[in-house]
Structure formats: C-alpha cells, structure tokens
Amino acid sequence: MSQPLQNRSRRQALKLLAGVPVMLPLGTVATTSLLAACGGDDDTPVLPPSQEPAKFVSASFTPTPAPTLDNPAAMATTTVDSTLTVTLSDGSTHAYELAYQPFFLTGDMVPDGNGGTILAGGYVDINNQPIIDRSIPGQERQFFSDSPDGTSLLTLADANVGGVNGNAVFAVVQFEYNSRDQSGASTYGQLPSPIAVLTLDQDPGTGKLTLVKYHNVDMSQVHGLWITCGASLSPWNTHLSSEEYEPDAFSIAGNSQFKKFSAFTYGDETAANPYNYGHIPEITVNPDGTGTVKKHYCLGRISHELVQVMPDNRTVLMGDDYTNGGLFMFVADRDKDLSAGTLYVAKYTETLTDTSSAGISWIKLGHATSKEIEDLVNVRKIQPTDIMESLTEDPQDDSYTLAHLDGAPAWLKLKPGMEKAAAFLETHRYANLKGASMAFTKMEGTTVNAKDKVAYSALANIQASMIEGDAAWLASRNVAFPKAIKAGGILEHALGGGQRDSDGTAIDSEWVPIQSRLMLKGEDIPADALGNTSNPENIASPDNLKFSETLRTLFIGEDSGNHVNNFLWAYNVDTKELVRILSCPAAAESTGLHAVDEAHGWTYIMSNFQHPGDWSGLHAKVQATLDPLIRANYKDRFGAAVGYLTADPTSIKLGA
C-alpha cells in the first residue's frame, strides 16, 4: 500500500514532484519556492492530493527573443528567456522558467577527483603530457580548447566515485579544436582533440548537477584524435565520437595543418598517418569516473559529423560534413558492437528537391572488421596510390571516372583487388566510383524519432553540389535544388525494412532510410540592422540535432555564418511549432546538444557553445560594441562553456 501523503516529509514531497515525467533540474528560485511550498523542515507534512500524480501528456516552449544592441550584454553571453509548460493527464499544467547553468568555462582549473585540479579542455600529446603554447615568450601556458562540442550524459548502476553525495551522473565531453594561439595565429585542426569524462553529483531533490571529477581519457592507443565534432549516446550507454574532415591521403605531403598536428601529437611532423583519422572513436565510462577508448575503422572514412545508432542496436546512420558528401549507413554484424559490419551509401532513385521527396536505394560498399582495416593502415602500411589513382586533371581516358571531391573535380581509377581498402579508407572516392548520390553539402547532425520511425539530417548549407547547374553538380546524382539556401535545412528520412542492396542482397535491418524530404528550411534575407543574412525568426545552418521522445521535440543547434548570434531551437513534431529557446554569445556556435529524457528521474537538455567572438564580416555592425564584452566574459575569447538548461517553476501544484 502506498504511504499516505500527509505522512510524507518535505524531502518525500520533493521526490513526488520530481517523479512527474519531464522535470528539468531546478535552479535557485525553484529550490527556494519548492521548500517553502513543502514546509520548513524534513518532518513538516504536506496536504494530500486528490489522486496519484498524473501522467505527462505534452510540452511546449515559449520563445526567447533574439537579442539586439538595445541590450549588448545579452548578445555577449548565453541568453535564455523561455518557459517550458508541461501538461498532465489531469488537465493541470506546470510552467518552468529556463536558465543556463555551465559546469565550467574551458581554461578553468577544475577538480581531478584526487584532491587536485586539472585544466578544463586542456591539450595533451600522445604521451599525455601538456602541449604548451609558446607563441608569446614569457607567457607560456598549456593550450586549452575554445571549442567544446559533442556531449553525452549517462548513468551507471554501479557508479562509485568519491565526493558524490547524491546520485552519480557522468558527462562525456569532447573538444573539437583550438582556434588560435596567444599570438592570434590560427591553430585550427593542429592539436589532438581531447575527450573528458565528467563525474557530476546530482542532487536527488533538485536535479542540480555539480562537477566533482574531471578525467582525461588516454588516447595513446588510438593514435590521438582528429577534429572531434558531434557525438551521440549509443543505446548501450557509450559515447560515440567522430573525426571530421578526414585528411586527404593523396595530398598529405603538402598539408601543413596535418604536419603541425603530427608535430604537436608526436613531436614529429611526419609520424602521424592520415589513414588513422576520419573514423569513429567510442568512449566507455567506468564506474570510477574514468574512461577508455576504442576507434572503429569499419564505418567508412568520411567527414564524420556524428553517427546515430537506431533502436535495433545495429543500424547506424551517419552525417558527412563535406561538399559532395553522401548519406552513409552501417549495419553491424552483432548487437551493440561496431567492430564489424557492412557499409552502404545512398543512391536516390528519384530527384530530391526543395519541394519533392525522393526514394532511396542502397549501394553496398563492402564488409569489414575494424581490425582488418586498421591492420591495412598500421601493419601493411598501405598507401593511397596502392588503392587507386586520383588525378586532378582530365586524363582524356574513358577508363577513369569523373568525381567531385569537396567541390573539386577528380578523375578516379581503382587498382585491381583494392575494393575493400577503397571502401573503408577512401570512402568518398569509392562511393563516387560506385555511382552514389554524392551531392550533399555539409550534412551535419543526425538523430532518430523512434516512435514515428523517421530520422533527421541537418544540412548546414544547401548550395554548390546540391544546386542544379553548379560546377560540382551532376544530374545523375538525383539531387537538384533550384537555388542555393545558405541558411540550410533539415531532411526527414522515412525508415523501414525489406530493402535490398545493389547486389540484390537483403539488408538485415528494419531501420533503413527509404525516402527523404526537406522538412524544414531556413530563409536567406538581405542583411538586417544587426547584419543577419538569414531570417532570425527561423533556423539558419542547422548543425546539432537531438530528438526527445518524451517531449516529442527536435532540438536544433546552429553553426551559422548567417545569424549574428546562433540559436538553439525546439521544434515540436506534432504541432509543427518552431521556438527559439537559447541564444549563444555573438559569433559562437551552438554545440554539445543532448536531450536526455531521464537520468535518475530528471530531464536534461545539454548545451555548450564554442569560439565566442569569432568575428567575420557578418559581425561588422556589432563587433566594436560586443568584442570588449565577449573578451571580459570568456577569457579574452579563449574560453567557452560546457553546461545545461535548468528550470525554475513559475507555479507548483502538488495536488488538487
């Protein structure tokens, strides 16, 4: 028999309220008001409700206005002025004012869990030694990232970390790159990307998360990491990272960026092998708040934005942040194991446009284990010219195939017997040879709506190879938009089973994309009073995507050269309502998005930003005003925030 509510204490009442589905962590106002509502001490009784807690029905958000120069401070920081309203089955509603709560700014000294501190976002080499910025003599310091990105929040049943007084929650955070050294010189892509495991102490009564331990994952066994962008949480509770913009092995000798990466990582500009990068790192969190990594070489070597595993624990849909990119899919041989499987790429059977959907067929690129591909790289020491020829000038020879690689023409010819090496190490080139629809521009975040059995892919820009008649466009790829949309859009893919690949073999998955359509698109405009070149009341260059099954909401983070402030949006797939819920500091990108429906009874929306004050011509009208504020807020533009949304209830109803 359930305990009568009149005998429950204040603490028990807190738990009762937290038990209502979709409770965001409470901020200071929430804690104070809730304690007042529940009485002054743990033994104060509360009045009984007329019935047991009602069930969640729906949620909606009110919009955060886009900040303007009427309030420069709001443009120079993370701004949230939205309310989440939850409707329950008894007809009652609960409203929560949202706010942003960072765990830290990169460059902060944070607890290492052993009584000391560690630099948040700090860079280390292959031997886990600090990488030092020596660009200004006398001001030497360890490099730290201004670009936190993919984040996963998770729990473990057997967690055991000292310093946790409530519930242990873990966040895995990756740091994509460092923008510049202290002298101002670009360091983009020159430093090996770190990934950290954060141990967070969750207050059971309020859901508040407090950092108690920061642990850098040792990357020495996977050759370091290259430009880790977005991430996702696997169904088996691991963090699936990414390595974006795979270094081109054919032109590596002249790649100064990669040479500097090798020098910072290994102390030798020739030590790093480009074929070790462009893969999928997987982080497993241990109960003590540490983490381990393995890198999967069998999901294709492309510009991995992130991967999304479907509910079957085997099918993986991938974003490809590239011009002339493709829609790639991997089906693992075994549940919850990405170490072996079959790689596919999409071929549209109808023409995809801004107004018409198109069916998809799937080209089989090959089957491999991660180990056999890694052995090609590090045991056999395979070279790109062992695999194929790739020419930048037309050889006037019909035995070569015309392709476009990142917008530039190339003529390709495969070497005999090198199909597997080509499929998994020269994936973009091989997909072109196989006739795939290599037409997309900057296909970024990918996520899944399991109930409706659809997936979503972000297109940061719709331009170049997607536009009919462009120099990088071919009609045979069946993607033909009539005009560019720099503001981009979001594709929706219907998912299903019963599909066969290009060899006529059944694809062993019920989660295969079978049709795509443009679900949302941005709107390009003449520059407005702030400099926005895309409508600030609509999405622009969507990047991070995460779907909340409970909230029935697609969260959309921007990486836009079109909005002066980038935004985080909430799109309700039932009501079709698009609402801005957060504004990033000017010239910063919205990153680290993760919608967590439940962690010890609480709902979280994780959100970071990167490179605040990364000025361009877009910001000409605001830079002079905002630059001093950004520098004051974010360590002279070297820092950025890792955090999450909190909620303060504007009304509390414990019973009828």
Side-chain angles (χ1 to χ4, degrees):
M1 178 180 293
S2 61
Q3 182 183 6
L5 188 62
Q6 60 264 34
N7 294 329
R8 293 176 179 170
S9 67
R10 175 186 65 162
R11 180 173 299 162
Q12 290 165 325
L14 282 164
K15 291 181 179 179
L16 174 67
L17 186 59
V20 176
V22 192
M23 271 293 290
L24 270 74
L26 306 179
T28 304
V29 174
T31 305
T32 302
S33 61
L34 188 55
L35 292 180
C38 294
D41 58 59
D42 281 355
D43 297 321
T44 303
V46 294
L47 296 175
S50 59
Q51 57 189 18
E52 286 300 307
K55 295 182 179 180
F56 170 79
V57 174
S58 65
S60 62
F61 295 88
T62 62
T64 292
T68 70
L69 285 176
D70 290 340
N71 184 2
M75 296 188 71
T77 190
T78 302
T79 302
V80 180
D81 191 19
S82 290
T83 298
L84 167 66
T85 299
V86 175
T87 300
L88 304 180
S89 57
D90 63 359
S92 65
T93 60
H94 296 263
Y96 304 92
E97 293 181 354
L98 302 184
Y100 185 68
Q101 177 65 51
F103 299 126
F104 55 77
L105 297 183
T106 57
D108 286 350
M109 298 304 294
V110 296
D112 65 3
N114 298 310
T117 58
I118 188 171
L119 181 68
Y123 285 91
V124 297
D125 63 19
I126 201 68
N127 298 310
N128 294 304
Q129 297 303 303
I131 301 176
I132 305 301
D133 179 354
R134 305 183 189 278
S135 61
I136 299 180
Q139 297 184 29
E140 294 82 2
R141 71 182 187 190
Q142 185 179 359
F143 276 108
F144 58 88
S145 177
D146 63 340
S147 297
D149 206 310
T151 300
S152 296
L153 195 75
L154 58 96
T155 61
L156 298 176
D158 55 350
N160 184 18
V161 183
V164 174
N165 298 311
N167 299 317
V169 176
F170 301 99
V172 184
V173 182
Q174 58 197 45
F175 300 89
E176 184 177 7
Y177 57 85
N178 171 275
S179 293
R180 65 190 72 84
D181 63 22
Q182 292 182 86
S183 75
S186 173
T187 52
Y188 175 79
Q190 297 177 13
L191 300 169
S193 297
I195 296 183
V197 176
L198 315 183
T199 300
L200 307 168
D201 187 1
Q202 183 194 59
D203 185 321
T206 67
K208 182 180 179 182
L209 300 173
T210 302
L211 177 65
V212 298
K213 179 178 179 178
Y214 181 109
H215 168 79
N216 266 332
V217 180
D218 179 2
M219 300 299 173
S220 60
Q221 299 305 304
V222 294
H223 315 284
L225 301 185
W226 169 269
I227 310 181
T228 53
C229 194
S232 64
L233 184 68
S234 74
W236 52 94
N237 219 27
T238 59
H239 174 88
L240 297 176
S241 181
S242 59
E243 291 184 308
E244 190 177 41
Y245 306 133
E246 82 283 12
D248 182 17
F250 279 90
S251 61
I252 207 66
N255 188 330
S256 60
Q257 177 196 43
F258 190 73
K259 289 178 180 179
K260 290 177 180 178
F261 169 85
S262 183
F264 276 122
T265 304
Y266 288 98
D268 179 348
E269 68 175 21
T270 66
N273 184 334
Y275 281 144
N276 278 319
Y277 309 100
H279 304 291
I280 299 297
E282 181 175 15
I283 308 297
T284 299
V285 176
N286 301 318
D288 64 355
T290 62
T292 56
V293 62
K294 51 188 172 184
K295 189 180 285 190
H296 299 291
Y297 284 68
C298 55
L299 281 83
R301 186 171 167 271
I302 61 174
S303 186
H304 284 292
E305 174 73 18
L306 62 76
V307 301
Q308 175 66 53
V309 182
M310 298 298 152
D312 65 351
N313 293 321
R314 295 175 56 247
T315 306
V316 184
L317 197 61
M318 296 179 261
D320 185 18
D321 189 355
Y322 191 73
T323 298
N324 296 108
L327 178 63
F328 290 89
M329 179 179 68
F330 176 81
V331 179
D333 290 350
R334 295 176 295 276
D335 285 3
K336 305 179 182 180
D337 182 355
L338 301 181
S339 66
T342 304
L343 181 64
Y344 304 89
V345 64
K347 170 70 175 179
Y348 282 93
T349 58
E350 302 165 295
T351 301
L352 178 68
T353 74
D354 58 339
T355 58
S356 63
S357 61
I360 302 173
S361 63
W362 288 93
I363 296 170
K364 179 181 177 180
L365 295 179
H367 176 277
T369 68
S370 182
K371 185 180 186 307
E372 64 183 313
I373 303 304
E374 185 176 5
D375 283 350
L376 283 177
V377 177
N378 296 308
V379 178
R380 179 173 168 179
K381 308 290 186 183
I382 197 168
Q383 299 298 309
T385 51
D386 297 333
I387 301 172
M388 64 174 64
E389 294 181 61
S390 182
L391 308 179
T392 57
E393 294 185 6
D394 188 350
Q396 302 295 317
D397 182 341
D398 290 343
S399 66
Y400 289 78
T401 298
L402 171 64
H404 291 89
L405 304 174
D406 206 15
W411 287 265
L412 310 175
K413 181 193 283 189
L414 186 68
K415 296 288 182 70
M418 300 306 293
E419 289 82 2
K420 181 170 290 192
F424 294 94
L425 293 175
E426 290 293 341
T427 310
H428 281 132
R429 287 178 167 90
Y430 191 58
N432 273 281
L433 284 172
K434 297 287 282 185
S437 292
M438 302 299 288
F440 291 107
T441 51
K442 294 188 71 63
M443 181 178 280
E444 308 254 12
T446 298
T447 191
V448 63
N449 168 352
K451 179 181 178 182
D452 296 337
K453 211 163 185 179
V454 296
Y456 308 104
S457 295
L459 298 172
N461 309 115
I462 297 172
Q463 60 187 20
S465 56
M466 295 185 68
I467 308 306
E468 186 171 4
D470 185 88
W473 176 83
L474 287 178
S476 60
R477 295 173 183 147
N478 284 339
V479 176
F481 282 61
K483 66 177 182 178
I485 307 172
K486 286 190 65 179
I490 297 174
L491 290 176
E492 179 185 83
H493 311 289
L495 306 173
Q499 303 301 299
R500 292 187 176 274
D501 66 23
S502 53
D503 294 340
T505 303
I507 300 175
D508 186 16
S509 172
E510 296 297 317
W511 296 86
V512 177
I514 56 177
Q515 187 181 64
S516 300
R517 71 177 184 95
L518 188 66
M519 181 182 76
L520 292 174
K521 64 179 178 179
E523 178 189 355
D524 298 335
I525 61 171
D528 66 12
L530 290 177
N532 293 303
T533 57
S534 294
N535 184 352
E537 300 307 314
N538 198 353
I539 59 170
S541 296
D543 187 322
N544 277 218
L545 296 181
K546 287 293 186 294
F547 186 74
S548 168
E549 295 284 348
T550 301
L551 296 175
R552 298 284 294 160
T553 296
L554 179 66
F555 293 98
I556 306 164
E558 295 181 339
D559 176 12
S560 169
N562 313 304
H563 281 166
V564 172
N565 290 82
N566 280 316
F567 305 129
L568 175 62
W569 300 85
Y571 177 73
N572 187 294
V573 298
D574 297 322
T575 67
K576 314 303 181 188
E577 184 178 23
L578 178 69
V579 177
R580 181 195 304 107
I581 62 172
L582 179 149
S583 174
C584 295
E589 174 186 345
S590 175
T591 64
L593 181 60
H594 186 198
V596 184
D597 284 341
E598 194 278 329
H600 297 306
W602 295 89
T603 296
Y604 294 91
I605 303 169
M606 312 302 293
S607 182
N608 310 331
F609 64 80
Q610 60 180 222
H611 56 70
D614 187 18
W615 307 117
S616 70
L618 178 77
H619 307 97
K621 298 177 181 179
V622 302
Q623 181 177 346
T625 301
L626 300 183
D627 187 65
L629 302 177
I630 293 280
R631 290 180 182 273
N633 288 342
Y634 302 113
K635 304 182 189 295
D636 204 23
R637 299 193 304 154
F638 286 101
V642 173
Y644 66 105
L645 290 176
T646 63
D648 284 322
T650 57
S651 63
I652 299 174
K653 181 178 181 181
L654 295 180

mmCIF file of all heavy atoms in Angstrom, residues 116-140:
data_model
loop_
_atom_site.group_PDB
_atom_site.id
_atom_site.type_symbol
_atom_site.label_atom_id
_atom_site.label_comp_id
_atom_site.label_asym_id
_atom_site.label_seq_id
_atom_site.Cartn_x
_atom_site.Cartn_y
_atom_site.Cartn_z
ATOM 1 N N GLY A 116 43.313 17.252 -6.305
ATOM 2 C CA GLY A 116 43.987 18.296 -7.062
ATOM 3 C C GLY A 116 43.075 18.911 -8.093
ATOM 4 O O GLY A 116 41.848 18.747 -8.055
ATOM 5 N N THR A 117 43.672 19.632 -9.038
ATOM 6 C CA THR A 117 42.904 20.261 -10.111
ATOM 7 C C THR A 117 43.542 19.942 -11.452
ATOM 8 O O THR A 117 44.696 19.515 -11.531
ATOM 9 C CB THR A 117 42.836 21.792 -9.927
ATOM 10 O OG1 THR A 117 44.171 22.324 -9.894
ATOM 11 C CG2 THR A 117 42.090 22.155 -8.653
ATOM 12 N N ILE A 118 42.769 20.168 -12.506
ATOM 13 C CA ILE A 118 43.200 19.908 -13.877
ATOM 14 C C ILE A 118 42.594 20.981 -14.761
ATOM 15 O O ILE A 118 41.534 21.542 -14.450
ATOM 16 C CB ILE A 118 42.771 18.485 -14.310
ATOM 17 C CG1 ILE A 118 43.364 18.108 -15.667
ATOM 18 C CG2 ILE A 118 41.248 18.359 -14.331
ATOM 19 C CD1 ILE A 118 43.143 16.635 -16.032
ATOM 20 N N LEU A 119 43.262 21.292 -15.860
ATOM 21 C CA LEU A 119 42.815 22.336 -16.773
ATOM 22 C C LEU A 119 41.680 21.825 -17.654
ATOM 23 O O LEU A 119 41.854 20.876 -18.424
ATOM 24 C CB LEU A 119 43.988 22.805 -17.638
ATOM 25 C CG LEU A 119 43.719 23.926 -18.635
ATOM 26 C CD1 LEU A 119 43.427 25.238 -17.901
ATOM 27 C CD2 LEU A 119 44.919 24.103 -19.579
ATOM 28 N N ALA A 120 40.519 22.454 -17.565
ATOM 29 C CA ALA A 120 39.363 22.047 -18.375
ATOM 30 C C ALA A 120 39.615 22.363 -19.842
ATOM 31 O O ALA A 120 39.928 23.499 -20.205
ATOM 32 C CB ALA A 120 38.102 22.759 -17.901
ATOM 33 N N GLY A 121 39.483 21.332 -20.679
ATOM 34 C CA GLY A 121 39.721 21.499 -22.110
ATOM 35 C C GLY A 121 41.178 21.525 -22.488
ATOM 36 O O GLY A 121 41.521 21.854 -23.629
ATOM 37 N N GLY A 122 42.060 21.135 -21.555
ATOM 38 C CA GLY A 122 43.488 21.193 -21.803
ATOM 39 C C GLY A 122 43.954 20.133 -22.791
ATOM 40 O O GLY A 122 43.428 19.018 -22.825
ATOM 41 N N TYR A 123 44.971 20.484 -23.587
ATOM 42 C CA TYR A 123 45.508 19.580 -24.610
ATOM 43 C C TYR A 123 46.732 18.834 -24.091
ATOM 44 O O TYR A 123 47.589 19.404 -23.400
ATOM 45 C CB TYR A 123 45.887 20.360 -25.870
ATOM 46 C CG TYR A 123 44.692 20.769 -26.684
ATOM 47 C CD1 TYR A 123 44.069 21.997 -26.487
ATOM 48 C CD2 TYR A 123 44.161 19.918 -27.649
ATOM 49 C CE1 TYR A 123 42.968 22.371 -27.233
ATOM 50 C CE2 TYR A 123 43.055 20.283 -28.400
ATOM 51 C CZ TYR A 123 42.462 21.506 -28.187
ATOM 52 O OH TYR A 123 41.356 21.866 -28.924
ATOM 53 N N VAL A 124 46.793 17.541 -24.464
ATOM 54 C CA VAL A 124 47.955 16.715 -24.143
ATOM 55 C C VAL A 124 48.397 15.977 -25.394
ATOM 56 O O VAL A 124 47.611 15.767 -26.325
ATOM 57 C CB VAL A 124 47.651 15.709 -23.013
ATOM 58 C CG1 VAL A 124 47.317 16.436 -21.720
ATOM 59 C CG2 VAL A 124 46.520 14.760 -23.405
ATOM 60 N N ASP A 125 49.677 15.559 -25.411
ATOM 61 C CA ASP A 125 50.213 14.861 -26.563
ATOM 62 C C ASP A 125 49.986 13.356 -26.443
ATOM 63 O O ASP A 125 49.265 12.887 -25.559
ATOM 64 C CB ASP A 125 51.686 15.212 -26.765
ATOM 65 C CG ASP A 125 52.583 14.769 -25.612
ATOM 66 O OD1 ASP A 125 52.180 13.884 -24.808
ATOM 67 O OD2 ASP A 125 53.716 15.293 -25.504
ATOM 68 N N ILE A 126 50.615 12.590 -27.328
ATOM 69 C CA ILE A 126 50.387 11.150 -27.369
ATOM 70 C C ILE A 126 50.873 10.465 -26.096
ATOM 71 O O ILE A 126 50.430 9.360 -25.768
ATOM 72 C CB ILE A 126 51.071 10.544 -28.622
ATOM 73 C CG1 ILE A 126 50.446 9.190 -28.984
ATOM 74 C CG2 ILE A 126 52.573 10.465 -28.432
ATOM 75 C CD1 ILE A 126 49.021 9.288 -29.483
ATOM 76 N N ASN A 127 51.756 11.136 -25.343
ATOM 77 C CA ASN A 127 52.255 10.606 -24.070
ATOM 78 C C ASN A 127 51.541 11.219 -22.879
ATOM 79 O O ASN A 127 52.018 11.113 -21.741
ATOM 80 C CB ASN A 127 53.762 10.850 -23.971
ATOM 81 C CG ASN A 127 54.528 10.132 -25.063
ATOM 82 O OD1 ASN A 127 54.338 8.938 -25.290
ATOM 83 N ND2 ASN A 127 55.386 10.868 -25.771
ATOM 84 N N ASN A 128 50.411 11.900 -23.136
ATOM 85 C CA ASN A 128 49.596 12.522 -22.096
ATOM 86 C C ASN A 128 50.331 13.630 -21.357
ATOM 87 O O ASN A 128 50.028 13.915 -20.192
ATOM 88 C CB ASN A 128 49.062 11.468 -21.116
ATOM 89 C CG ASN A 128 48.090 10.522 -21.775
ATOM 90 O OD1 ASN A 128 47.087 10.949 -22.354
ATOM 91 N ND2 ASN A 128 48.382 9.232 -21.735
ATOM 92 N N GLN A 129 51.255 14.284 -22.046
ATOM 93 C CA GLN A 129 51.959 15.428 -21.484
ATOM 94 C C GLN A 129 51.341 16.717 -22.023
ATOM 95 O O GLN A 129 50.924 16.784 -23.187
ATOM 96 C CB GLN A 129 53.442 15.372 -21.832
ATOM 97 C CG GLN A 129 54.155 14.167 -21.235
ATOM 98 C CD GLN A 129 54.008 14.117 -19.723
ATOM 99 O OE1 GLN A 129 54.384 15.065 -19.020
ATOM 100 N NE2 GLN A 129 53.451 13.024 -19.231
ATOM 101 N N PRO A 130 51.259 17.760 -21.193
ATOM 102 C CA PRO A 130 50.643 19.014 -21.647
ATOM 103 C C PRO A 130 51.320 19.564 -22.899
ATOM 104 O O PRO A 130 52.543 19.522 -23.035
ATOM 105 C CB PRO A 130 50.842 19.953 -20.458
ATOM 106 C CG PRO A 130 51.010 19.056 -19.273
ATOM 107 C CD PRO A 130 51.704 17.832 -19.787
ATOM 108 N N ILE A 131 50.509 20.065 -23.826
ATOM 109 C CA ILE A 131 51.020 20.753 -25.010
ATOM 110 C C ILE A 131 51.030 22.246 -24.685
ATOM 111 O O ILE A 131 50.004 22.821 -24.324
ATOM 112 C CB ILE A 131 50.161 20.463 -26.240
ATOM 113 C CG1 ILE A 131 50.128 18.951 -26.529
ATOM 114 C CG2 ILE A 131 50.688 21.218 -27.453
ATOM 115 C CD1 ILE A 131 49.223 18.568 -27.680
ATOM 116 N N ILE A 132 52.185 22.877 -24.835
ATOM 117 C CA ILE A 132 52.380 24.236 -24.361
ATOM 118 C C ILE A 132 52.318 25.226 -25.525
ATOM 119 O O ILE A 132 52.933 25.028 -26.577
ATOM 120 C CB ILE A 132 53.739 24.367 -23.634
ATOM 121 C CG1 ILE A 132 53.842 23.331 -22.500
ATOM 122 C CG2 ILE A 132 53.927 25.779 -23.099
ATOM 123 C CD1 ILE A 132 52.752 23.441 -21.454
ATOM 124 N N ASP A 133 51.570 26.287 -25.293
ATOM 125 C CA ASP A 133 51.519 27.416 -26.221
ATOM 126 C C ASP A 133 52.721 28.309 -25.922
ATOM 127 O O ASP A 133 52.772 28.984 -24.893
ATOM 128 C CB ASP A 133 50.202 28.173 -26.024
ATOM 129 C CG ASP A 133 50.060 29.390 -26.932
ATOM 130 O OD1 ASP A 133 51.027 29.736 -27.644
ATOM 131 O OD2 ASP A 133 48.973 30.008 -26.919
ATOM 132 N N ARG A 134 53.677 28.328 -26.839
ATOM 133 C CA ARG A 134 54.903 29.110 -26.663
ATOM 134 C C ARG A 134 54.936 30.298 -27.625
ATOM 135 O O ARG A 134 56.012 30.842 -27.922
ATOM 136 C CB ARG A 134 56.124 28.217 -26.888
ATOM 137 C CG ARG A 134 56.138 26.969 -26.011
ATOM 138 C CD ARG A 134 57.405 26.140 -26.216
ATOM 139 N NE ARG A 134 57.311 24.859 -25.531
ATOM 140 C CZ ARG A 134 57.562 24.669 -24.235
ATOM 141 N NH1 ARG A 134 57.944 25.707 -23.489
ATOM 142 N NH2 ARG A 134 57.445 23.475 -23.700
ATOM 143 N N SER A 135 53.779 30.712 -28.106
ATOM 144 C CA SER A 135 53.737 31.732 -29.155
ATOM 145 C C SER A 135 54.162 33.112 -28.664
ATOM 146 O O SER A 135 54.579 33.949 -29.465
ATOM 147 C CB SER A 135 52.333 31.802 -29.764
ATOM 148 O OG SER A 135 51.375 32.155 -28.784
ATOM 149 N N ILE A 136 54.037 33.372 -27.357
ATOM 150 C CA ILE A 136 54.494 34.641 -26.784
ATOM 151 C C ILE A 136 55.516 34.319 -25.695
ATOM 152 O O ILE A 136 55.155 33.766 -24.650
ATOM 153 C CB ILE A 136 53.325 35.461 -26.201
ATOM 154 C CG1 ILE A 136 52.305 35.795 -27.302
ATOM 155 C CG2 ILE A 136 53.840 36.741 -25.559
ATOM 156 C CD1 ILE A 136 51.121 36.611 -26.811
ATOM 157 N N PRO A 137 56.795 34.634 -25.915
ATOM 158 C CA PRO A 137 57.820 34.344 -24.903
ATOM 159 C C PRO A 137 57.485 34.988 -23.564
ATOM 160 O O PRO A 137 57.047 36.141 -23.495
ATOM 161 C CB PRO A 137 59.090 34.960 -25.518
ATOM 162 C CG PRO A 137 58.834 34.962 -26.992
ATOM 163 C CD PRO A 137 57.362 35.231 -27.139
ATOM 164 N N GLY A 138 57.657 34.197 -22.519
ATOM 165 C CA GLY A 138 57.363 34.669 -21.174
ATOM 166 C C GLY A 138 55.927 34.467 -20.743
ATOM 167 O O GLY A 138 55.590 34.682 -19.576
ATOM 168 N N GLN A 139 55.048 34.063 -21.692
ATOM 169 C CA GLN A 139 53.640 33.820 -21.347
ATOM 170 C C GLN A 139 53.232 32.391 -21.696
ATOM 171 O O GLN A 139 52.081 32.120 -22.027
ATOM 172 C CB GLN A 139 52.746 34.817 -22.083
ATOM 173 C CG GLN A 139 52.984 36.261 -21.689
ATOM 174 C CD GLN A 139 52.019 37.224 -22.361
ATOM 175 O OE1 GLN A 139 50.882 36.869 -22.681
ATOM 176 N NE2 GLN A 139 52.473 38.445 -22.581
ATOM 177 N N GLU A 140 54.181 31.477 -21.591
ATOM 178 C CA GLU A 140 53.903 30.089 -21.917
ATOM 179 C C GLU A 140 52.798 29.524 -21.022
ATOM 180 O O GLU A 140 52.779 29.781 -19.814
ATOM 181 C CB GLU A 140 55.169 29.245 -21.776
ATOM 182 C CG GLU A 140 56.264 29.571 -22.772
ATOM 183 C CD GLU A 140 57.106 30.754 -22.369
ATOM 184 O OE1 GLU A 140 56.866 31.335 -21.273
ATOM 185 O OE2 GLU A 140 58.013 31.129 -23.132
#
